[in-house]
Amino acid sequence: MTIDNSMQISFELNGSMRRARVEPHERLIDLLRDVLGETGTKEGCGEGECGACTVLVEGRAVNSCLFPAPEVEGLRVVTIEGLCGEGLQLSPVQAAFLEGGATQCGFCTPGMVVSTVALLGENPAPSASDIRNALTGNLCRCTGYVQIVEAIQSAAAKLSAGGEA
Amino acid sequence: MVLPTSVEEASRLLPTAEGGASAKLLAGGQDLLTELKEHLVEPDTLVNLKSVPGLDTIEWNEAGELTIGALVTLTDLEEEAGVVEKLPILSEAAASIASAQIRSVGTVGGNLNQRPRCWYYRAEHAPCLKKGGSECYAFEGRNKYNAILGGGPSYIVHPSDLAPALVALGAKVTLKSHSTSRQLLLEDFYTLPSDGDILTETRLKPDEVLTHVHIPKQRAGMRSTYLKFKERASYDFALSSVALCLWLDQGQITRTRIVLGGVAPKPWRTVKGEQAILGKRVDARTIEMAREACLDGAVTLSENGFKIPLTKGLLTRAFQKLA
């Protein structure tokens, strides 16, 4: 048994190993934004309703506002920053959101994009209903979702022709 | 936060029936962390069950029985091949819960032990009956989401989607402390507010840990489904849900299990509804008998009368889907 106050953790963030000292009650989103400076991940509701804070942990979409930071020890975390290629080249999903006008104010977009990457990892050719189902945990208050669904279908089509989400 | 390495060690860190440390068990945290944020609970210690090995597996034995560890995530349960093939009711119930993000992290044990969603309970400054106050504000207040069956003196509904499905499957749960181990039918695990301790929804003792769920092998030919109605199409808790298992022999019902969710303070098994339709064919008349018998005794509050026709509609759909 270990009783810890702060603890040293190391984990893979967007392909690089990172070390940090975290408090037991610290949230993953605070570690990412305030300690490691990766501010692409947004905090909306702070209680798991809106999905703006979505990141990938071991390839699965999670709400980083409801995820204890110490628990990423040894795991692989990907945030919106980790999706870009060399020289900040946009990934196919990001490019599809941009081209399809699937953003408006943009606050939900990092979470939307990250949830999309999780979806396409499991289902490379999702139907519109699969997409809506996979994104139920991501709220957008501007777009009405139609262009988001279209952008995801477009990204899926491009990816099936070759490429990585 | 404490990281125990065994269930026994975790149990020793929890309060006893006489009180003691104000520790809480943490698993996926998808309910507990929101309770902490609202200051509904303020434990001095979190006992993180995830450091205990052996609680995150789904295992079928040779006899066809299924054991699910408390730390299995809802996503893993939903996608397990045997569950998808043999127990659609359970896969459907898991898939109906919250969002992909929450299912990735939320656990089976946490889903079964989650606390009420009633807005008076969740409002930090409302000292409702469930938080040790003297009044259930829903009774005379805003009660659209509250109970129509089994209510009083509190009118919460149990929020779990897995619970009605698991009760329909005759599941048992293992509850362990540092010195005891027992199994209960999940149906008997849950309590009504009128049963006694209003501050809890279950028979789990303060120093016990729900470690496993056990599903017996089902009789051959079972058809099953879980239908849930939500106020919004994306994700939400159930306004009403129906867990239905049905066995037919040449069109006649030889056995059935009907459990309602979202309408009572615990998963509401309706033995009366089950008995009313044994030996009958699944036709409009039989479904009507089931609808009436299942809702027998329902008492509506000022704003939740819609739950009666809604639940009847779900029952019709469930029978039509399986017959």
Side-chain angles (χ1 to χ4, degrees), chain B residues 27 31 70 107-115:
Chain B
D31 187 37
T107 64
V108 168
N111 184 271
L112 295 177
N113 282 297
Q114 65 188 301
R115 301 306 314 279

Short mmCIF file of all heavy atoms in Angstrom, two decimals, chain B residues 27 31 70 107-115:
data_model
loop_
_atom_site.label_atom_id
_atom_site.label_comp_id
_atom_site.label_asym_id
_atom_site.label_seq_id
_atom_site.Cartn_x
_atom_site.Cartn_y
_atom_site.Cartn_z
N ALA B 27 -13.53 4.00 -8.66
CA ALA B 27 -13.23 3.08 -9.77
C ALA B 27 -13.03 3.95 -11.00
O ALA B 27 -12.04 4.67 -11.11
CB ALA B 27 -14.33 2.05 -9.93
N ASP B 31 -19.11 8.87 -11.93
CA ASP B 31 -20.15 9.40 -11.06
C ASP B 31 -19.52 10.09 -9.86
O ASP B 31 -19.87 11.22 -9.52
CB ASP B 31 -21.10 8.28 -10.60
CG ASP B 31 -22.30 8.83 -9.84
OD1 ASP B 31 -22.80 9.91 -10.21
OD2 ASP B 31 -22.73 8.19 -8.86
N ALA B 70 -15.79 -6.08 -11.39
CA ALA B 70 -16.38 -4.76 -11.14
C ALA B 70 -15.69 -3.66 -11.93
O ALA B 70 -16.29 -2.63 -12.21
CB ALA B 70 -16.32 -4.44 -9.64
N THR B 107 -17.23 2.03 -15.09
CA THR B 107 -17.12 0.59 -14.85
C THR B 107 -18.48 -0.03 -14.51
O THR B 107 -19.44 0.67 -14.16
CB THR B 107 -16.18 0.31 -13.66
OG1 THR B 107 -16.78 0.88 -12.48
CG2 THR B 107 -14.80 0.90 -13.88
N VAL B 108 -18.51 -1.36 -14.59
CA VAL B 108 -19.72 -2.10 -14.26
C VAL B 108 -20.09 -1.89 -12.78
O VAL B 108 -21.23 -1.59 -12.45
CB VAL B 108 -19.52 -3.60 -14.57
CG1 VAL B 108 -20.64 -4.45 -13.98
CG2 VAL B 108 -19.42 -3.80 -16.09
N GLY B 109 -19.08 -2.00 -11.91
CA GLY B 109 -19.36 -1.81 -10.48
C GLY B 109 -19.84 -0.40 -10.19
O GLY B 109 -20.75 -0.19 -9.38
N GLY B 110 -19.25 0.56 -10.85
CA GLY B 110 -19.65 1.95 -10.64
C GLY B 110 -21.04 2.22 -11.16
O GLY B 110 -21.83 2.94 -10.54
N ASN B 111 -21.37 1.62 -12.30
CA ASN B 111 -22.72 1.82 -12.85
C ASN B 111 -23.78 1.27 -11.90
O ASN B 111 -24.83 1.88 -11.71
CB ASN B 111 -22.82 1.15 -14.23
CG ASN B 111 -24.17 1.42 -14.87
OD1 ASN B 111 -25.12 0.68 -14.67
ND2 ASN B 111 -24.26 2.52 -15.62
N LEU B 112 -23.49 0.11 -11.30
CA LEU B 112 -24.48 -0.50 -10.40
C LEU B 112 -24.60 0.26 -9.09
O LEU B 112 -25.63 0.18 -8.42
CB LEU B 112 -24.11 -1.97 -10.13
CG LEU B 112 -24.15 -2.88 -11.36
CD1 LEU B 112 -23.71 -4.29 -10.98
CD2 LEU B 112 -25.56 -2.92 -11.96
N ASN B 113 -23.54 0.96 -8.72
CA ASN B 113 -23.54 1.67 -7.43
C ASN B 113 -23.70 3.17 -7.56
O ASN B 113 -23.49 3.91 -6.60
CB ASN B 113 -22.23 1.37 -6.68
CG ASN B 113 -22.26 0.00 -6.03
OD1 ASN B 113 -23.08 -0.25 -5.16
ND2 ASN B 113 -21.39 -0.89 -6.47
N GLN B 114 -24.06 3.66 -8.76
CA GLN B 114 -24.15 5.11 -8.92
C GLN B 114 -25.30 5.67 -8.08
O GLN B 114 -26.25 4.99 -7.74
CB GLN B 114 -24.29 5.50 -10.38
CG GLN B 114 -25.57 5.03 -11.04
CD GLN B 114 -25.56 5.28 -12.54
OE1 GLN B 114 -25.42 6.40 -12.98
NE2 GLN B 114 -25.69 4.23 -13.32
N ARG B 115 -25.16 6.94 -7.76
CA ARG B 115 -26.13 7.62 -6.90
C ARG B 115 -27.22 8.27 -7.74
O ARG B 115 -27.08 8.43 -8.94
CB ARG B 115 -25.41 8.66 -6.04
CG ARG B 115 -24.30 8.11 -5.13
CD ARG B 115 -24.74 6.96 -4.22
NE ARG B 115 -26.00 7.16 -3.51
CZ ARG B 115 -26.16 7.85 -2.40
NH1 ARG B 115 -25.12 8.43 -1.83
NH2 ARG B 115 -27.35 7.96 -1.82
#
